[in-house]
């Protein structure tokens, strides 16, 4: 197991005993790493684990190969798999979404479908965002204009969605899979500069790491954690003050 992952999971109480967890497994390095870590923790924490794979119908034969890879991986590790196939471009056109938005909506719809089928609609959804994804999101939110919530990037836990690898660097994930001798799929669209997030990943973030500070991504993850903690404190204080003024107002009226 990558050092720090289990402690991070415990810090945010991501999984409790007897939880039902569905993990998003695309076949990429991050999601394969996530599945293997959850399998390592499964016996210790006594939770039920299943995998969800969404075939978006965007990359033709490559998408089908990814789905076959995930099916084989789950058979090998004896993990129950829920596979869902969609025509994302058509769905996006019908609903007025970008393909990226449409794909995200259908992924989370699929996670909830799987939990329903498992008889655990309140179960946990594990996704494989890592520290690099967090840094990209922070930059993207800042560029578009953001408050404290947006600048904190991606939360470790929100509304039943957990991210055990959020503070794990991409290079750690790749090294872990190499040491395990585990293969994974590579999505060719991740290299395309047609997507804004990819331009941030390959140009902006890479420039920050190579020309400004090699620890830029780590430092951004630390900032994200501090911002999220500050936001939570401010929210608690604001709620306390709200209740106090509501009570005082009610007392005056009575």
């Amino acid at each position: 197991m990558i050092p720090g992952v289990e402690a991070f999971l415990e810090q945010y109480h991501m999984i409790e005993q007897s939880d039902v967890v569905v993990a998003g497994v695309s076949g990429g390095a991050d999601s394969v790493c996530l599945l293997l870590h959850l399998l390592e923790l499964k016996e210790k924490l006594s939770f039920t684990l299943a995998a969800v794979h969404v075939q978006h119908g965007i990359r033709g034969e490559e998408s089908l190969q990814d789905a076959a890879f995930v099916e084989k991986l789950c058979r090998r590790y004896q993990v129950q798999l829920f596979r869902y196939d969609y025509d994302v471009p058509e769905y996006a056109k019908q609903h007025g979404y970008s393909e990226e938005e449409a794909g995200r909506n259908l992924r989370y719809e699929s996670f909830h479908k799987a939990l329903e089928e498992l008889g655990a609609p309140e179960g946990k959804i594990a996704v494989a965002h890592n520290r690099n994804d967090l840094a990209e999101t922070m930059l993207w939110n800042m560029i578009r204009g953001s408050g404290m919530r947006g600048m904190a990037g991606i939360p470790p836990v929100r509304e039943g969605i957990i991210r055990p690898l959020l503070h794990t660097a991409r290079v750690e994930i790749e090294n872990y899979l190499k040491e395990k001798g585990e293969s994974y799929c590579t999505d060719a669209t991740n290299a395309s500069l047609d997507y804004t997030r990819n331009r941030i990943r390959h140009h902006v973030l890479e420039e920050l790491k190579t020309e400004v500070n090699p620890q830029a991504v780590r430092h951004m993850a630390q900032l994200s954690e501090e911002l999220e903690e500050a936001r939570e404190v401010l929210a608690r204080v604001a709620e306390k003050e709200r209740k106090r003024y509501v009570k005082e107002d009610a007392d005056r009226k009575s």
Side-chain angles (χ1 to χ4, degrees), residues 192-205:
S192 170
L193 298 182
D194 291 338
Y195 300 98
T196 303
R197 185 176 285 275
N198 284 357
R199 292 197 293 273
I200 292 172
R201 175 182 305 153
H202 297 300
H203 290 313
V204 181
L205 199 55

Side-chain angles (χ1 to χ4, degrees), residues 100-111:
E100 191 174 9
E101 289 174 311
R104 185 185 185 283
N105 290 346
L106 289 171
R107 278 196 302 277
Y108 282 97
E109 184 180 306
S110 299
F111 293 141

Side-chain angles (χ1 to χ4, degrees), residues 146-183:
S146 174
M148 189 179 290
R149 180 189 287 271
M151 276 304 301
I154 308 171
V157 177
R158 180 179 290 168
E159 298 175 353
I161 301 168
I162 63 173
R163 298 177 171 90
L165 301 180
L166 190 61
H167 279 212
T168 303
R170 171 73 185 199
V171 67
E172 293 179 282
I173 289 169
E174 292 175 350
N175 288 341
Y176 169 82
L177 294 177
K178 186 176 180 180
E179 289 169 10
K180 297 275 288 187
E182 195 67 63
S183 60

